[in-house]
Amino acid sequence: MSAAHQQIEIDEQADVIDEVAAAVAWHNGDAQATIRTLLADCKYLRQQLALAEISMSLGFARGWRPTADRLEDAQ
């Protein structure tokens, strides 16, 4: 792995850590409230995705269909 690639991975990890810290800080340090909010957001977005899936025709995106299933490489 090249040094440039390693630096990109470090930067991406720092961004994730900052997002987590920001989310917890938004809830005044309450981790349970943070998790509840994130789960509620997830539920809402899955509902919106289901509506988009129902309303899209196959020709709209050349055969691509939205899905609520996560891809393995998205983790």
Side-chain angles (χ1 to χ4, degrees):
M1 181 180 301
S2 71
H5 187 73
Q6 288 175 341
Q7 185 60 42
I8 290 171
E9 284 188 10
I10 290 169
D11 292 343
E12 288 175 352
Q13 289 173 355
D15 290 342
V16 169
I17 291 168
D18 291 343
E19 290 175 356
V20 170
V24 174
W26 178 264
H27 292 86
N28 298 317
D30 187 346
Q32 288 187 359
T34 304
I35 293 169
R36 276 194 292 276
T37 298
L38 293 172
L39 289 173
D41 287 347
C42 215
K43 180 180 178 182
Y44 172 77
L45 292 172
R46 285 182 177 271
Q47 290 170 343
Q48 293 297 303
L49 185 58
L51 291 173
E53 184 177 11
I54 292 167
S55 64
M56 280 179 60
S57 69
L58 285 176
F60 180 71
R62 299 180 186 249
W64 175 84
R65 299 290 297 218
T67 180
D69 296 331
R70 285 183 67 156
L71 300 175
E72 291 299 320
D73 59 353
Q75 296 177 7

